[in-house]
Structure formats: C-alpha cells, structure tokens
Amino acid sequence: MDGVLRPPRCTPHPAAPTPAISNGSRTLYVNGNERSFFDQTGWTNLISHIGLPAAIAPVGTDDHGMPIAVQIIGAPYADRTVLTMAEHIADHGPT
C-alpha cells in the first residue's frame, strides 16, 4: 500500500474533529466551550510524531464555504509518495 487516506468515511470530512475556524481567529468552540486554536494542532500532526509522513489535501468546501480536507498518511520514508498523492488530490479530487 502506498498510503492511507483518512478519515475512513464514505464522504469528505474535516481532518480535525471541529469545523474550520474563520481566518485570523485564534479560538473555536468545541461542544459549546471556547477553546484555543492551538489545542487542535495535535490532530493534524499526530501521525508525524510516530515517524510517518503525512499531508493534508483540500477536497472541497462545506455549505458555509469552509474548507474540507483529507489527511494522507504514508509508510515510513515515503514522503515523496505522500506529496504526490496530495498534489493529485488537490488537482483532481480524491478519486
């Protein structure tokens, strides 16, 4: 396998467990509670901490125009494969 496309759902879904925040904002709401934007950064780089290359590729926008993306995870040292997959998805969609 060259890479894994997450999250494992049939439809595009945010890479983080919360909706995207507005440009320039440093806070977001999780279950009605205001949280620091930086509390969420672990979701986007968790895989990198265990040594696997990863990238995020845009796949569209939601009904409010906010971006939707997928995370691509590759095998150890497969950085170029992950980047190639991200470029293809950004250019052509996740098919």
Side-chain angles (χ1 to χ4, degrees), residues 1 3-4 18 24 27 37-38 45 49 57 62 66-67 73 87 89-90 92:
M1 157 180 9
V4 175
T18 56
T27 60
F37 163 78
F38 298 102
N45 63 20
H49 288 296
D62 67 11
M66 301 303 282
I73 303 166
E87 182 178 39
I89 290 170
H92 306 288

Side-chain angles (χ1 to χ4, degrees), residues 20-77:
I21 62 172
S22 299
N23 189 23
S25 177
R26 292 291 179 244
T27 60
L28 67 153
Y29 289 88
V30 179
N31 296 327
N33 299 311
E34 187 174 8
R35 302 288 301 266
S36 168
F37 163 78
F38 298 102
D39 289 349
Q40 300 300 309
T41 58
W43 290 102
T44 59
N45 63 20
L46 182 61
I47 296 301
S48 294
H49 288 296
I50 60 172
L52 299 177
I56 301 292
V59 294
T61 57
D62 67 11
D63 294 339
H64 302 287
M66 301 303 282
I68 297 174
V70 293
Q71 183 178 29
I72 302 152
I73 303 166
Y77 308 108

